């Protein structure tokens, strides 16, 4: 197996294990395990980081306004966990990101630009899943360092880390240890062999604080995270396009899709930009994501 194939095999094994496990599965709590049929609420899930929760709330508000009965299951976990939920019917809809979802479904995917990634994604989807219009808004993975670290080692791009990585600690979500768009890809594409990897929650303040406190030297922070500007962090350029385009896109169970749902969510995608998504991420630092979502949908 090549490295991408090995990574995909690990992801699939993880997904099966999550589906089979017992009381620790967050999908077992809350709404019924099936839904989306006539007279049943559409169950909207989210991954376990703030932006995805916000997007799920935006979808819920827009669909509610369109007359669709919805319920939410937020903070389910990583992609392996919520994809299992889409398979077993315990959720029917979730906000996704084109590049990483494509790679999850097809380890041979090579496109990096938005339209080409979206085309590959549509080809890779199984019949039971459908993506609707993608938004202009993107939120990409990034390797981020402090301004002091960038200045000390003259860092502009990820490739500049190569001579320094053996003396550095990399931080990121636990799944980065195995995902190609993580430790394996940084090694294969950029030749980076860090002294160690510190698992941290995706999209949380843990990575930010670890960078600030010197517990890690480089970390995975999403590009819409307001902490980047607030802390004068430096996003390292990705000249080899390890991180493909990551346009926000609704992923829905095909048998739950109606024209009413499609129309409402396509309006959301048409109005969602990287700029307004980043602005909303500032707001959710001290405001309920449901309230921020409500204001955004009211302005569409």
């Amino acid at each position: 197996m090549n490295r991408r194939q090995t990574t995909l095999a690990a992801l699939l094994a993880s997904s099966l294990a999550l589906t089979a496990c017992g009381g620790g599965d967050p999908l077992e709590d809350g709404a019924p395990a099936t839904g989306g049929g006539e007279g049943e609420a559409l169950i909207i899930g989210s991954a376990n980081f703030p932006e995805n929760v916000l997007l799920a709330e935006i979808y819920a508000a827009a669909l509610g306004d369109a007359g669709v009965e919805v319920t939410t299951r937020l903070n389910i976990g990583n992609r392996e966990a919520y994809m299992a939920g889409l398979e077993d019917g315990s959720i029917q809809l979730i906000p996704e990101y084109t590049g990483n979802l494509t790679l999850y479904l097809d380890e041979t995917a090579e496109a990096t630009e938005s339209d080409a990634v979206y085309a590959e994604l549509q080809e890779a989807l199984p019949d039971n899943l459908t993506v609707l219009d993608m938004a202009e808004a993107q939120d990409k993975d990034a390797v981020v360092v402090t301004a002091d670290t960038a200045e000390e080692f003259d860092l502009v791009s990820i490739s500049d880390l190569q001579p320094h990585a053996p003396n550095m600690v990399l931080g990121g979500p636990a799944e980065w240890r195995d995902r190609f768009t993580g430790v394996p890809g940084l090694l294969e594409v950029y030749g980076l062999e860090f002294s160690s990897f510190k698992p941290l929650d995706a999209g949380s303040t843990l990575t930010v604080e670890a960078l600030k406190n010197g517990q890690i030297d480089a970390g995975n922070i999403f590009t819409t995270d307001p902490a980047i500007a607030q802390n004068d962090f430096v996003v390292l350029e990705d000249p080899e396009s390890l991180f493909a385009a990551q346009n926000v896109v609704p992923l829905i169970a095909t048998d739950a899709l109606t024209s009413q749902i499609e129309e409402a969510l396509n309006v959301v995608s048409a109005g969602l930009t990287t700029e307004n998504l980043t602005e909303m991420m500032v707001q959710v630092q001290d405001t309920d994501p449901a309230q921020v979502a409500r204001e955004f949908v009211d302005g569409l």
Side-chain angles (χ1 to χ4, degrees):
M1 284 188 175
N2 61 31
R3 188 174 297 275
R4 283 180 183 257
Q5 290 171 326
T6 301
T7 300
L8 185 69
L11 294 178
L12 292 175
S14 175
S15 178
L16 289 172
L18 285 162
T19 305
C21 69
D25 186 349
L27 293 174
E28 291 183 355
D29 299 323
T34 59
E38 186 175 352
E40 296 178 350
L42 181 78
I43 305 173
I44 305 172
S46 87
N48 58 339
F49 58 93
E51 181 183 276
N52 209 254
V53 171
L54 169 66
L55 290 167
E57 293 283 18
I58 288 173
Y59 289 175
L63 290 172
D65 288 355
V68 179
E69 184 181 354
V70 299
T71 187
T72 57
R73 258 186 196 165
L74 306 176
N75 289 300
I76 291 169
N78 61 18
R79 184 169 286 106
E80 290 75 23
Y82 62 71
M83 290 297 284
L86 284 166
E87 286 296 324
D88 67 25
S90 49
I91 61 171
Q92 285 88 39
L93 169 67
I94 195 160
E96 255 290 4
Y97 303 87
T98 54
N100 284 341
L101 178 58
T102 302
L103 191 59
Y104 175 88
L105 295 168
D106 177 10
E107 79 276 15
T108 67
E110 295 181 348
T112 59
E113 300 303 318
S114 290
D115 289 342
V117 170
Y118 185 62
E120 279 194 341
L121 172 56
Q122 290 175 307
E123 292 178 3
L125 280 170
D127 291 341
N128 64 320
L129 295 175
T130 299
V131 289
L132 304 180
D133 289 356
M134 68 175 181
E136 179 273 327
Q138 287 197 58
D139 184 10
K140 300 180 72 170
D141 286 286
V143 176
V144 177
V145 297
T146 64
D148 287 345
T149 298
E151 182 177 2
E152 179 180 359
F153 298 111
D154 194 22
L155 304 177
V156 175
S157 77
I158 298 173
S159 57
D160 295 332
L161 286 168
Q162 204 277 331
H164 310 291
N167 299 312
M168 288 182 162
V169 176
L170 175 68
E175 54 269 25
W176 250 42
R177 192 187 304 277
D178 301 311
R179 283 186 182 170
F180 188 80
T181 51
V183 174
L186 289 169
L187 175 60
E188 182 172 314
V189 176
Y190 286 105
L192 302 185
E193 220 169 333
F194 290 90
S195 65
S196 63
F197 173 74
K198 186 176 181 63
L200 300 162
D201 289 344
S204 75
T205 58
L206 292 178
T207 306
V208 173
E209 292 304 315
L211 265 178
K212 289 167 60 178
N213 298 333
Q215 295 172 298
I216 61 174
D217 302 289
N220 172 224
I221 297 180
F222 301 139
T223 53
T224 59
D225 194 323
I228 293 174
Q230 291 168 351
N231 293 280
D232 198 27
F233 289 159
V234 176
V235 176
L236 299 181
E237 296 173 6
D238 177 23
E240 301 300 325
S241 298
L242 173 62
F243 307 122
Q246 303 291 347
N247 295 81
V248 175
V249 67
L251 177 66
I252 188 167
T254 303
D255 61 5
L257 182 60
T258 66
S259 58
Q260 189 179 18
I261 292 171
E262 182 172 10
E263 182 178 350
L265 293 181
N266 283 347
V267 169
V268 168
S269 291
L272 197 60
T273 66
T274 302
E275 182 179 7
N276 61 33
L277 181 56
T278 304
E279 290 171 355
M280 285 188 282
M281 287 304 298
V282 174
Q283 297 174 47
V284 298
Q285 291 181 311
D286 53 20
T287 306
D288 183 354
Q291 179 180 334
V292 176
R294 179 71 269 167
E295 292 172 359
F296 172 74
V297 172
D298 286 345
L300 289 174

